[in-house]
Amino acid sequence: MERFPDAENQEPLLSVTVEPSPAETTKFRVRNLTKSSDAGTPILHGVNMDIPKGKIVGIIGPSGSGKSTVLRALNRLWEPPSGTVFLDGRDIRDLDVLSLRRKVGMLFQLPALFEGTVADNIRFGPQLKGKKLSDEEVHRLLTLADLDASFYDKRGSDLSVGQAQRVALARTLANEPEVLLLDEPTSALDPISTQNVEDVIMKLKKKQGLTVVMVSHSIKQIQRIADVVCLLVDGDVVEVLEPDRLSEAKHPMALRFLTLSS
Ligand SMILES: Nc1ncnc2c1ncn2[C@@H]1O[C@H](COP(=O)(O)OP(=O)(O)O)[C@@H](O)[C@H]1O
Ligand SMILES: [Mg+2]
């Protein structure tokens, strides 16, 4: 009589590997995020947003629409209500705020460097945790931010805005963040510095799997680097689109903004 093969040694009839693709992992989940001004005027009307891990999410929209306000909620520069912002599935209100800000670094329109040298600036974050970065580590961070070794000893006042922005980026990267929040980081920079910063951001995504949320006033910039674009109008996310399909926006204000900006 024919023996059935041992079940454990049997080849599966159909081999299916179920691996969650990085695109399916949500880094930040924002649910019904609201904010009003002190005078009671609504600023955010219940923003919903999923920031996929390892992707660059662009946020665009008219000025005053709440882009910076949304971004600043993600690392608690203001306190979002409980149950509205989740990092890796955890309510950020339940996290230690300093470790949250290490994990979620932020760059602003204008870099503000501290007194001292570029190296001092880069060492600052780790030092707060009692860790002294070696010269090699500082140089590695300079390289990562596309700055050569000569910057090590320079002072903030000797740098152009574009160079200072890259030092600010290196200083943020020293904390080994998982997410970067960028609030119009190139709007004060010339085209070449802008391209340098964009190149660094794309490299960080590709090589380190960094998640990036970038507010930009430039639709062209967003189309160059973002994987997905959120259109914010009047405190609401009115469209989520692929960067090359912005023309498919349907919301009238979004459409108007896109037409006028392009
Ligand atoms: N702390 C605050 N108190 C009062 N109003 C604020 C505060 N923060 C932002 N606003 C207002 O909220 C709106 C959205 O601001 P903001 O997020 O800076 O917009 P954007 O970055 O899209 O230009 C603006 O009308 C701004 O004046
Ligand atoms: Mg802003």
Side-chain angles (χ1 to χ4, degrees), residues 12-26:
L13 290 177
L14 184 66
S15 163
V16 184
T17 39
V18 185
E19 268 179 284
S21 87
E24 286 164 357
T25 316
T26 303

Side-chain angles (χ1 to χ4, degrees), residues 25 33 39 44 57 62 91 98 102 111 119 126 134 161 188 193 211 219 225 237 256 260:
T25 316
L33 176 65
L44 302 180
V57 175
D91 191 328
L98 291 182
R102 259 185 224 117
S134 68
V161 189
S193 296
T211 305
I219 289 177
I225 76 168
V237 174
R256 184 147 170 257
L260 292 175

Side-chain angles (χ1 to χ4, degrees), residues 35 37 43 62-69:
K35 182 177 171 66
S37 72
I43 297 171
S63 134
S65 59
K67 303 182 296 296
S68 298
T69 307

Side-chain angles (χ1 to χ4, degrees), residues 245-259:
R245 306 182 83 160
L246 292 183
S247 58
E248 292 173 20
K250 289 181 191 68
H251 187 279
M253 263 303 287
L255 212 52
R256 184 147 170 257
F257 170 73
L258 290 169
T259 316

